[in-house]
Amino acid sequence: MPEEKTDRKKIGAVLVVGGGVAGIQASLDLADSGFKVYLIDQGPSIGGVMAQLDKTFPTNDCSMCILSPKLVATGRHPNVTILTNAEITGLNGKAGNFEVKLRRKSRYIIEDKCNGCGICAQKCPIEVVDMYNEGLGKRSAIYVEYPQAVPLKYMIDREKCIGCGTCQEICKANAIQYDQEGSEATLEVGSIILAPGFEPFDATLKSEYGYGRFPNVVTSIEFERILSASGPYGGLVLRPSDGEIPKKIAFVQCVGSRDFQIGNNYCSAACCMYGMKEAVIAKEHTPSKLDATIFYMDMRAYGKEFDAYYERAQGEWGVRFVRSRVAGVTEDPKTGNLFVHYVEDETPRTEEFDMVVLSIGMQPPKNVEKLAERLGIRLNKYKFCETETFSPMETSKPGVFVCGAFAAPKDIPESVAQASGAAAKAMGIIASERGTQVTSKEYPPEKDVSKEEPRIGVFVCHCGINIGGVVNVPEVVKYAKTLPNVVYAEANLYTCSQDTQKLIREKIIDNKLNRVIVASCTPRTHEPLFKETVQEAGLNPYLFEMTNIRDQCSWVHMHEHEKATEKAKDLVRSIAAKAKLLKPLEKPIINVTPVGLIIGGGVSGMTAALELAGQGFEVHLVEREEELGGHLRKIQYLLEKKDDPKKKLDSLVKSVMENDRIHVYTGAEVVDVYGFVGNFKSKIRQQNGKEKEIEHGIVIVATGAVEYKPTEYLYGKDTRIITQHELEEKIAKGTFKAKNVVMIQCVGARNEERPNCARICCGQAIKNALKIKEASPETEVYILYKDMRAYGFKEDYYREAAMKGVIFINYEDERKPQVADENGKLKVTFWEPVIKEEVEVEPDVVVLSAATVPNPDNKHVAEMLKVPLTKDGFFLEAHMKLRPVDFATDGIFLCGMAHSPKYIEESIAQACAAAARATTILSKKSLEMEGIVANVSEDLCSGCRICEYLCPYGAVEMKDKDGKTLAHVIEALCKGCGACGTACPTKAITMGHFTTEEILAQVKATLLEAKA
Amino acid sequence: MSDEKKFEPKIIGFLCNWCSYAAADLAGVSRIQYPPNIIIIRVMCSGRIDPSFILEAFKDGADGVLVAGCHLPSDCHYISGNFKALRRVTLLKKVLRDFGIEPERLRLEWLSASEGDRFAAIVRDMVEEIKKLGPNPLKAKEVEA
Ligand code: FES
């Protein structure tokens, strides 16, 4: 390597700042790709704002359900070190080799010793206002932020602690250390990702809404806690003032956003959707009839499937929408009810509500200026991180990247995509150091136990007094010893502690145990630890089982000691019956071809190709058209003005063409794909008609989208009616002249055929309107719109256009504008809602903001790859919230407009994200799959294909064997849900680790009466 | 009346590993108390639950069976296992009476990871209801025989 001598060595580690969902995603992608990660957070645990949310839009998924597996994965990842209560104090060095100085606040708890058992919090006599519940509930002075917190380590709130010593006395792990001091640390990393998130707007600054003065005015984030089943009211919607169930709630949008007075001109981008979601969920959670009204300026439901949600909110759920900025809120002090003052139809109105929810916006995180100064990065005028259109994850300092709300206000899936994108960027500059800072674990060779009688060992946990204080643990141990095949049983103070792991290993060897049971807490968090322990003792990890005698026994039957003890015995008997039948399972190992196939050569496809090539992987890039560029070819200039998209396109194409690792096929098509993650084989039909077969480990779908060809408003019949793209081309060529222009929004979108928003047309219209005004300020420009969806910082340009005299007029579906040709003159008639009159203008040109619609190729590509499409015809990702660029099928990813319409910076973020996700596979020589998979007995299989049809992952294929068609499980794709096994009419499918035999044995044993 | 008090139903709960098992865990973490009549058997997904498991449980003397999975439509960790469970349990409920078992003894519930209190409430409710129904009639028959 011709590296400069003066350059210090690069380091294969990354610092991620901020443990919200963005920081978590970036950390996991990096760690799964062979890099060491230090994840730091200011608070005592990771999870961020998402951990506080009740449900997420537009699927109404439970937030904690989808977040907590990621929390656990991060907490357990051998390549991730989480440093909580930490803050950056200094930075030295440069990209590839940074030295970061940290300061860590003390927890007053020895982290290594704390088991998170929580007895201390129960006994702590102090009650403190609980900020996780937004001040609506109470917690103790020794606490964790929330029950699923990672790391699950308690912390003492020293400001509130009275030093009574109760926790110290009660802590059996001796983890309390009152005199613990804060510490300093220095980390060496190659790159840095900033994901510090956002700060909710302080609603007291909008004093006219009465927040802080009137108890029944709450913020949206407080309302999330109210909605949450784990929140202060157990998920019931109650008024804070009197605990009454409200009958009428008002949601006030844009509090702290789009607000010139307080200097937050930008739109916070997520509030319209979460406001709607909160209204819908509140209705669902309230047994009696609840009226929910949303006061808004523009309903910005611009994301994928968002408008469909908006429709349902109005229709199915009956949420009322009022287009008006609320002027103020006053209170009736007698009832605690609130009067909302607003203007509708130019008339001031007042309406009474039981409760008001303020949809507060996002602000840059606290102390962000200090952070920026220490890191040497530039902030924009709103103090969010400054980035550029073509480099949305790059800060002004090389080697320091950004993602999530700190780059610009955004919702969860966009934060997640950008986080993966930032991970790609962060590893790109240290790709040569992959694998240098991580350790892989070595296990002793596995003992063959197939010939042995089952010899079960049972370890029963006291969990301090969590279990032992209720369940008679010695009695359970004694009972366990009487069970069939149990040859050893003992009690532990904390079965999960470091020293007990050593002890378990010894007992396995001394007693020749070949099955191990731990009766303690939940397998959801602790099973991996114990599996590792038995593996270290030479046992197959699937010879381990666990039963939960804490969360599902001692904690829920605290006052029934005897019955709880009996139940614990039942649980142990039940699991022992299963353990007896456990079989070792092999984790299938599959090799990976470190090559990528990318379908589509637009900005997304090219970006993904460059990222993968930069990571050192070979890429095949297939484009249907004669040249690369896709949709970007049609973009002449940007709303943000700074970059020249033409130049950027040229340099992008040039880098792709010049890159040795990228094989470009233009005028070509992928005609066939088979195989599975790590091992695909595909056929490309090249321009010359010849087919070429390639082998690859992953696929990225980047097929883009196309502009809708309008059939409405005389388009195609009159040359004076053009689309935004056509206008843009004319302006760029300098051939556009007009004295009067009318633009019509939502052409081909938000209608019956295509209910969703095409997202980018509002920005496009504003951009072109500004261009027209720039060249000829006296030209009149009208924009007829349904909602101006200039979200995020684009709001600035909306304002600019309005200031420059562009006239924005709202229209409703019931009164669409009319375009006519009257004796050669164009005439546009529309309803003017302010003066309440039909207005007629005679423009020279009518510009239609035509929707962006799916590429017609998508159908074919989807069938070939066996991946789903949305109703609209865009590709449907694995999960709308947390897996925005993955398909449910492993090894296949998507990005850019193939996913849904989006701006260039969003496509680039997703393209980098897809590359990062692909790298988690391509960077490994082989993949170790989960051992819990389905297995077909060929003798029993009748070839009925029910399993093939049922499997949501396409993991069952039919194979011909000896003249019979038989089902065959592709282990690499099987996720182990067991649905096929249950459906199999001939019982030919066994589900590893959850066999029918095992489950039935468990049922039988459970129903035997315990005798001891 | 006193008989009814003595009778402690035995309930088997088949819970999917992801949301519903997590709900049961949260009930614990939140110390929400419920009667100890339920024993949980963990499976990866409610789509794994074979009607034969449920029938077997009744045959072996369970007084009630709870099947719980992730919320419809989209919370299932395996995309659509919950729909499969829905179909199977609904069908099974239809035929349970033919086996001499009241369909009320079998319950299907969707639980999210934050619904610890609902899990507890469901168990409480089931115990109450089954106490009213009395012991599993198959068991009673056996005793008579
Ligand atoms: S994983 Fe819970 S129902 Fe499928």
Side-chain angles (χ1 to χ4, degrees):
Chain A
M1 267 218 171
E3 211 151 82
E4 271 184 56
K5 286 234 170 63
T6 49
D7 258 5
R8 286 202 289 168
K9 209 180 149 317
K10 286 185 180 174
I11 297 167
V14 181
L15 172 72
V16 178
V17 182
V21 66
I24 287 173
Q25 183 62 43
S27 301
L28 286 174
D29 285 334
L30 287 161
D32 283 337
S33 300
F35 296 93
K36 169 79 199 172
V37 176
Y38 299 97
L39 172 60
I40 70 167
D41 197 281
Q42 284 185 3
S45 45
I46 59 172
V49 176
M50 193 175 168
Q52 285 182 291
L53 304 183
D54 176 45
K55 301 275 177 1
T56 60
F57 60 81
T59 50
N60 287 356
D61 272 346
C62 152
S63 188
M64 192 45 92
C65 298
I66 55 178
L67 180 64
S68 96
K70 288 218 186 225
L71 290 174
V72 175
T74 312
R76 288 199 37 84
H77 205 295
N79 299 345
V80 180
T81 301
I82 299 176
L83 300 165
T84 48
N85 295 316
E87 185 188 17
I88 296 183
T89 51
L91 176 72
N92 286 315
K94 57 179 187 171
N97 188 320
F98 287 114
E99 189 189 85
V100 191
K101 289 212 169 5
L102 301 179
R103 187 183 307 123
R104 294 188 72 191
K105 271 189 299 190
S106 169
R107 257 181 207 278
Y108 309 100
I109 298 278
I110 304 164
E111 280 194 28
D112 288 342
K113 288 194 177 168
C114 174
N115 297 306
C117 79
I119 283 292
C120 51
Q122 291 223 301
K123 303 287 169 190
C124 174
I126 303 299
E127 273 201 342
V128 180
V129 171
D130 179 6
M131 288 328 285
Y132 170 70
N133 275 321
E134 290 295 318
L136 296 168
K138 294 264 197 291
R139 63 157 167 81
S140 42
I142 184 163
Y143 72 108
V144 283
E145 283 186 295
Y146 54 100
Q148 302 85 345
V150 168
L152 193 61
K153 306 284 176 195
Y154 278 74
M155 171 154 171
I156 298 179
D157 181 346
R158 278 306 283 269
E159 270 171 33
K160 300 287 158 37
C161 169
I162 51 167
C164 66
T166 309
C167 51
Q168 192 153 34
E169 251 164 61
I170 198 125
C171 179
K172 297 228 160 132
N174 293 323
I176 313 283
Q177 190 184 10
Y178 283 117
D179 59 357
Q180 192 181 63
E181 287 187 4
S183 58
E184 313 267 326
T186 306
L187 301 175
E188 294 199 330
V189 294
S191 44
I192 298 173
I193 292 177
L194 303 177
F198 67 91
E199 184 75 22
F201 174 74
D202 175 3
T204 56
L205 297 178
K206 295 291 290 177
S207 59
E208 62 270 40
Y209 294 148
Y211 177 76
R213 285 183 291 138
F214 311 144
N216 294 330
V217 176
V218 300
T219 67
S220 43
I221 188 115
E222 287 168 355
F223 199 63
E224 287 286 343
R225 295 312 305 151
I226 292 180
L227 290 174
S228 173
S230 65
Y233 311 143
L236 276 182
V237 180
L238 303 177
R239 305 210 308 175
S241 71
D242 49 14
E244 290 288 323
I245 297 175
K247 291 190 199 63
K248 239 181 129 189
I249 303 183
F251 291 82
V252 179
Q253 296 303 110
C254 298
V255 178
S257 310
R258 302 181 69 183
D259 190 329
F260 195 65
Q261 279 161 10
I262 53 160
N264 290 358
N265 299 357
Y266 58 87
C267 155
S268 290
C271 329
C272 280
M273 285 308 291
Y274 80 58
M276 233 189 283
K277 171 201 73 181
E278 289 185 354
V280 166
I281 303 290
K283 276 176 154 280
E284 270 184 3
H285 282 207
T286 311
S288 46
K289 190 171 159 344
L290 174 72
D291 283 336
T293 305
I294 298 184
F295 293 93
Y296 71 101
M297 298 203 282
D298 292 283
M299 240 321 132
R300 293 190 165 165
Y302 54 84
K304 191 173 185 172
E305 305 280 311
F306 287 5
D307 260 318
Y309 193 85
Y310 182 21
E311 283 288 314
R312 290 178 65 203
Q314 298 177 74
E316 188 177 323
W317 288 305
V319 176
R320 173 177 154 230
F321 290 83
V322 178
R323 191 188 288 268
S324 169
R325 176 148 217 158
V326 169
V329 176
T330 49
E331 187 196 39
D332 177 348
K334 272 197 250 104
T335 58
N337 285 358
L338 304 152
F339 300 104
V340 172
H341 308 281
Y342 65 103
V343 178
E344 194 187 29
D345 292 335
E346 304 305 296
T347 328
R349 293 178 201 275
T350 295
E351 197 174 327
E352 193 172 342
F353 289 90
D354 300 331
M355 217 174 149
V356 170
V357 180
L358 305 178
S359 291
I360 50 174
M362 300 187 199
Q363 303 222 101
K366 253 193 232 140
N367 302 328
V368 68
E369 278 159 300
K370 235 175 26 202
L371 178 73
E373 194 188 297
R374 284 178 188 154
L375 296 175
I377 57 158
R378 269 202 303 277
L379 301 177
N380 72 12
K381 65 175 171 193
Y382 300 117
K383 305 220 164 22
F384 286 87
C385 187
E386 191 178 285
T387 59
E388 305 285 333
T389 305
F390 282 87
S391 50
M393 278 84 66
E394 268 135 278
T395 70
S396 57
K397 185 175 179 107
V400 181
F401 305 96
V402 63
C403 61
F406 180 40
K410 57 173 69 68
D411 64 8
I412 293 168
E414 279 176 48
S415 294
V416 171
Q418 209 184 16
S420 291
K425 288 284 166 197
M427 45 188 160
I429 60 168
I430 49 171
S432 57
E433 305 309 307
R434 185 191 310 282
T436 55
Q437 303 272 319
V438 296
T439 43
S440 61
K441 214 171 159 145
E442 295 285 329
Y443 292 103
E446 217 172 274
K447 254 192 357 197
D448 177 16
V449 300
S450 59
K451 307 251 152 41
E452 297 171 10
E453 261 292 288
R455 292 176 63 81
I456 306 174
V458 182
F459 297 83
V460 187
C461 185
H462 277 278
C463 194
I465 57 168
N466 279 301
I467 296 170
V470 177
V471 168
N472 185 336
V473 172
E475 203 182 306
V476 176
V477 170
K478 208 170 110 207
Y479 175 71
K481 287 183 178 160
T482 68
L483 293 169
N485 296 77
V486 173
V487 296
Y488 184 81
E490 70 164 46
N492 317 109
L493 183 55
Y494 289 108
T495 310
C496 62
S497 68
Q498 222 42 49
D499 45 323
T500 312
Q501 302 319 296
K502 190 164 152 267
L503 190 126
I504 295 176
R505 285 195 297 267
E506 286 165 10
K507 298 292 177 202
I508 291 175
I509 293 164
D510 295 351
N511 296 287
K512 299 201 177 56
L513 303 178
N514 55 23
R515 306 284 189 284
V516 176
I517 293 173
V518 169
S520 61
C521 53
T522 174
R524 290 173 52 254
T525 52
H526 281 66
E527 193 178 38
L529 169 75
F530 296 123
K531 273 186 165 175
E532 218 171 287
T533 303
V534 303
Q535 215 174 344
E536 283 161 1
L539 286 184
N540 180 286
Y542 295 98
L543 297 173
F544 173 79
E545 254 300 350
M546 209 171 159
T547 190
N548 190 341
I549 59 167
R550 188 186 71 180
D551 311 45
Q552 297 178 4
C553 187
S554 67
W555 275 352
V556 287
H557 315 307
M558 292 175 87
H559 315 298
E560 301 174 277
H561 294 203
E562 244 167 68
K563 283 187 179 164
T565 305
E566 286 313 306
K567 176 166 168 179
K569 288 185 196 167
D570 288 352
L571 284 163
V572 170
R573 185 177 64 244
S574 168
I575 208 68
K578 177 177 182 185
K580 194 178 145 189
L581 299 171
L582 289 176
K583 297 242 161 28
L585 297 178
E586 233 175 275
K587 295 191 177 175
I589 305 275
I590 54 172
N591 291 330
V592 176
T593 312
V595 177
L597 166 66
I598 299 177
I599 308 177
V603 63
S604 302
M606 288 192 288
T607 304
L610 284 170
E611 285 304 321
L612 283 183
Q615 307 276 347
F617 306 114
E618 220 181 295
V619 184
H620 299 278
L621 178 62
V622 183
E623 167 60 45
R624 205 177 213 282
E625 302 292 321
E626 305 281 308
E627 47 183 1
L628 295 171
H631 193 79
L632 183 53
R633 297 215 154 268
K634 298 210 172 131
I635 298 180
Q636 315 290 339
Y637 43 81
L638 299 178
L639 181 56
E640 286 79 4
K641 293 168 197 150
K642 276 189 254 172
D643 284 318
D644 176 354
K646 290 277 148 209
K647 280 202 196 122
K648 287 281 178 187
L649 172 64
D650 290 344
S651 80
L652 205 54
V653 172
K654 190 160 172 270
S655 334
V656 168
M657 297 308 284
E658 282 174 359
N659 195 309
D660 292 343
R661 294 198 181 105
I662 305 177
H663 311 283
V664 178
Y665 309 81
T666 47
E669 204 185 339
V670 178
V671 288
D672 220 340
V673 179
Y674 22 33
F676 47 85
V677 56
N679 302 273
F680 290 104
K681 268 203 189 86
S682 299
K683 277 198 198 116
I684 300 170
R685 188 180 301 131
Q686 292 166 288
Q687 203 161 20
N688 57 14
K690 282 203 189 119
E691 283 191 0
K692 178 176 174 178
E693 196 171 275
I694 57 161
E695 291 190 8
H696 52 106
I698 60 98
V699 185
I700 294 177
V701 178
T703 49
V706 296
E707 193 187 48
Y708 168 68
K709 279 266 154 285
T711 52
E712 42 278 83
Y713 301 119
L714 302 181
Y715 182 80
K717 299 195 183 83
D718 190 316
T719 52
R720 290 167 297 180
I721 296 159
I722 58 178
T723 65
Q724 291 286 0
H725 276 311
E726 289 159 354
L727 169 67
E728 194 166 328
E729 208 180 310
K730 284 190 183 191
I731 293 176
K733 280 197 192 133
T735 59
F736 182 76
K737 268 205 183 59
K739 285 273 147 266
N740 191 315
V741 182
V742 173
M743 297 185 180
I744 303 176
Q745 298 303 104
C746 296
V747 178
R750 302 182 66 186
N751 57 18
E752 281 205 353
E753 196 190 341
R754 269 178 297 275
N756 286 302
C757 168
R759 188 176 183 127
I760 52 180
C761 341
C762 281
Q764 220 177 359
I766 293 169
K767 174 177 88 171
N768 289 341
L770 279 170
K771 267 281 183 218
I772 294 172
K773 282 283 184 191
E774 200 179 287
S776 123
E778 65 289 344
T779 299
E780 277 188 39
V781 183
Y782 295 88
I783 298 184
L784 310 182
Y785 70 96
K786 286 169 73 168
D787 292 278
M788 271 327 272
R789 293 179 168 174
Y791 58 91
F793 300 132
K794 298 205 170 10
E795 177 76 10
D796 276 344
Y797 302 97
Y798 178 23
R799 178 182 301 273
E800 185 187 332
M803 307 255 279
K804 292 205 168 136
V806 176
I807 301 161
F808 290 89
I809 294 165
N810 173 236
Y811 76 84
E812 304 288 338
D813 273 339
E814 299 73 52
R815 269 206 188 117
K816 281 197 177 144
Q818 303 295 327
V819 179
D821 175 356
E822 273 178 29
N823 310 322
K825 273 203 169 139
L826 272 185
K827 219 172 234 167
V828 180
T829 329
F830 52 85
W831 176 258
E832 216 302 335
V834 176
I835 56 172
K836 292 207 181 61
E837 245 167 64
E838 286 276 338
V839 175
E840 212 175 76
V841 290
E842 294 185 357
D844 310 311
V845 177
V846 172
V847 186
L848 304 182
S849 290
T852 304
V853 295
N855 189 331
D857 282 356
N858 287 2
K859 254 214 180 99
H860 161 69
V861 175
E863 275 165 22
M864 196 167 61
L865 295 169
K866 298 192 196 73
V867 295
L869 295 176
T870 63
K871 266 202 229 107
D872 303 14
F874 290 102
F875 284 95
L876 179 61
E877 61 273 33
H879 191 276
M880 286 243 181
K881 225 53 192 177
L882 290 190
R883 296 182 66 193
V885 300
D886 299 5
F887 281 110
T889 313
D890 282 343
I892 309 183
F893 307 93
L894 79 162
C895 60
M897 301 230 273
H899 164 279
S900 67
K902 50 180 62 66
Y903 289 104
I904 296 170
E905 60 272 26
E906 296 164 339
S907 283
I908 290 177
Q910 270 201 343
C912 293
R917 301 289 303 139
T919 301
T920 63
I921 294 168
L922 296 179
S923 62
K924 299 190 180 94
K925 281 204 179 61
S926 59
L927 298 172
E928 192 185 56
M929 311 304 285
E930 176 52 50
I932 302 180
V933 291
N935 228 307
V936 182
S937 150
E938 297 192 340
D939 295 340
L940 294 175
C941 176
S942 66
C944 72
R945 309 191 95 118
I946 289 183
C947 49
E948 184 196 20
Y949 162 77
L950 268 184
C951 178
Y953 301 98
V956 183
E957 59 179 4
M958 304 306 292
K959 274 192 173 173
D960 285 332
K961 201 178 169 193
D962 310 329
K964 265 173 58 179
T965 305
L966 300 174
H968 172 250
V969 176
I970 306 166
E971 290 182 339
L973 294 181
C974 177
K975 300 270 183 232
C977 67
C980 55
T982 306
C984 178
T986 59
K987 301 283 161 235
I989 299 183
T990 353
M991 200 46 239
H993 209 68
F994 290 92
T995 65
T996 301
E997 224 192 333
E998 286 165 4
I999 297 174
L1000 289 179
Q1002 237 184 310
V1003 170
K1004 264 210 159 41
T1006 308
L1007 292 163
L1008 278 178
E1009 288 305 313
K1011 285 178 216 90
Chain B
M1 211 47 215
S2 66
D3 260 12
E4 205 175 276
K5 270 220 176 97
K6 257 187 262 149
F7 165 55
E8 284 298 341
K10 203 135 197 189
I11 300 171
I12 296 231
F14 292 105
L15 267 57
C16 83
N17 182 53
W18 302 96
C19 303
S20 52
Y21 196 90
D25 280 349
L26 184 64
V29 174
S30 324
R31 312 294 196 276
I32 302 167
Q33 305 297 301
Y34 57 83
N37 304 55
I38 188 165
I39 296 286
I40 290 168
I41 294 181
R42 182 170 67 113
V43 291
M44 291 315 276
C45 173
S46 67
R48 172 70 186 108
I49 299 157
D50 195 320
S52 73
F53 301 167
I54 301 167
L55 282 177
E56 191 59 41
F58 282 125
K59 271 218 306 262
D60 291 341
D63 301 299
V65 173
L66 169 67
V67 173
C70 313
H71 272 281
L72 295 171
S74 58
D75 278 12
C76 170
H77 206 73
Y78 305 98
I79 306 176
S80 56
N82 45 3
F83 278 102
K84 290 167 191 148
L86 173 63
R87 270 206 306 275
R88 289 177 186 139
V89 174
T90 318
L91 280 179
L92 185 63
K93 264 178 170 277
K94 291 217 170 97
V95 299
L96 265 189
R97 209 175 276 285
D98 300 341
F99 289 89
I101 298 159
E102 303 89 333
E104 297 78 43
R105 294 183 188 272
L106 170 59
R107 267 178 73 163
L108 175 65
E109 293 285 350
W110 310 124
L111 285 161
S112 84
S114 60
E115 291 178 317
D117 54 346
R118 240 196 84 217
F119 173 77
I122 289 168
V123 177
R124 258 181 250 128
D125 196 59
M126 269 189 95
V127 171
E128 275 316 301
E129 199 171 325
I130 294 172
K131 275 192 179 165
K132 278 188 215 128
L133 285 173
N136 176 342
L138 299 185
K139 216 165 33 179
K141 256 186 225 151
E142 248 169 58
V143 174
E144 268 167 37

